[in-house]
Amino acid sequence: PKTVEDIFVAAANNWLVSYENLSSLTAEQQDALCTLATGGGFAARQLFTNGEEHVLQTKRPVVVNGISVIATRADLINRAVHLDVPAIPAARRKDDAEARDAWEWDRARVFTGLLDLFTVVCHLLPEVQLPYRQRMADFERLGEAVMRALGEPHDSWRQHQHL
């Protein structure tokens, strides 16, 4: 995104905001992603007016990826699930056609697996009680339910927030 406004326009027009191959985000852009995660808006002067305001209000999930660390501000880090994905060894790499064919073969199982995980998480969520609540308590509760659904011991979310 070039501006904070671009982030909110993308969020207002899509169910998921996704940015690929980022090198960095400004402090203002990171704040905007935090606002999207918990819900909020962006106000700008309406075109061709002097005093009227247009507000883009939304709440959306955001996916960002890059080789370097993107989330550097505490607020965004608290709202993020950070995945370190290992490099694929050269002998196991696929070209686009092979990767697309493999995805077509696997996508139904991946989607089914995600739905199964979601079902278990929804079942476990009412039972998850946190010993103490952090700033993003609902997010932490959900993360803990996911970890338990994956067979991890209690309090795993707090210990593995950066997977």
Side-chain angles (χ1 to χ4, degrees):
K2 292 195 181 351
T3 67
V4 169
E5 184 176 15
D6 291 342
I7 292 171
F8 278 91
V9 168
N13 289 292
N14 296 282
W15 289 108
L16 172 76
V17 179
S18 179
Y19 295 106
E20 250 187 76
N21 200 25
L22 295 180
S23 299
S24 65
L25 289 168
T26 66
E28 293 80 16
Q29 290 170 329
Q30 290 187 59
D31 288 345
L33 296 180
C34 289
T35 301
L36 285 184
T38 51
F42 175 81
R45 186 170 58 106
Q46 192 149 351
L47 291 177
F48 310 111
T49 67
N50 288 326
E52 291 182 43
E53 190 174 60
H54 178 71
V55 178
L56 294 171
Q57 183 127 4
T58 190
K59 181 179 181 180
R60 296 284 187 260
V62 179
V63 175
V64 296
N65 76 42
I67 293 173
S68 59
V69 175
I70 305 300
T72 57
R73 296 176 54 93
D75 279 357
L76 186 55
I77 291 169
N78 287 341
R79 290 167 172 81
V81 175
H82 181 108
L83 301 174
D84 285 325
V85 181
I88 299 170
R92 296 192 61 214
R93 293 182 186 160
K94 299 177 179 182
D95 62 30
D96 283 345
E98 291 171 312
R100 198 172 16 262
D101 289 346
W103 173 244
E104 287 302 318
W105 177 259
D106 290 336
R107 75 178 174 158
R109 283 185 290 269
V110 170
F111 187 62
T112 301
L114 288 171
L115 290 176
D116 289 345
L117 176 62
F118 180 71
T119 301
V120 174
V121 167
C122 288
H123 176 75
L124 292 174
L125 195 57
E127 301 169 13
V128 173
Q129 299 300 318
L130 303 173
Y132 58 90
R133 293 185 178 126
Q134 306 222 6
R135 279 186 61 231
M136 304 295 294
D138 292 329
F139 181 62
E140 184 179 14
R141 251 182 91 232
L142 180 64
E144 180 64 23
V146 169
M147 295 300 277
R148 290 181 191 181
L150 293 172
E152 297 293 326
H154 289 356
D155 209 28
S156 291
W157 175 254
R158 216 172 259 147
Q159 296 170 19
H160 297 96
Q161 279 185 320
H162 297 286
L163 302 174

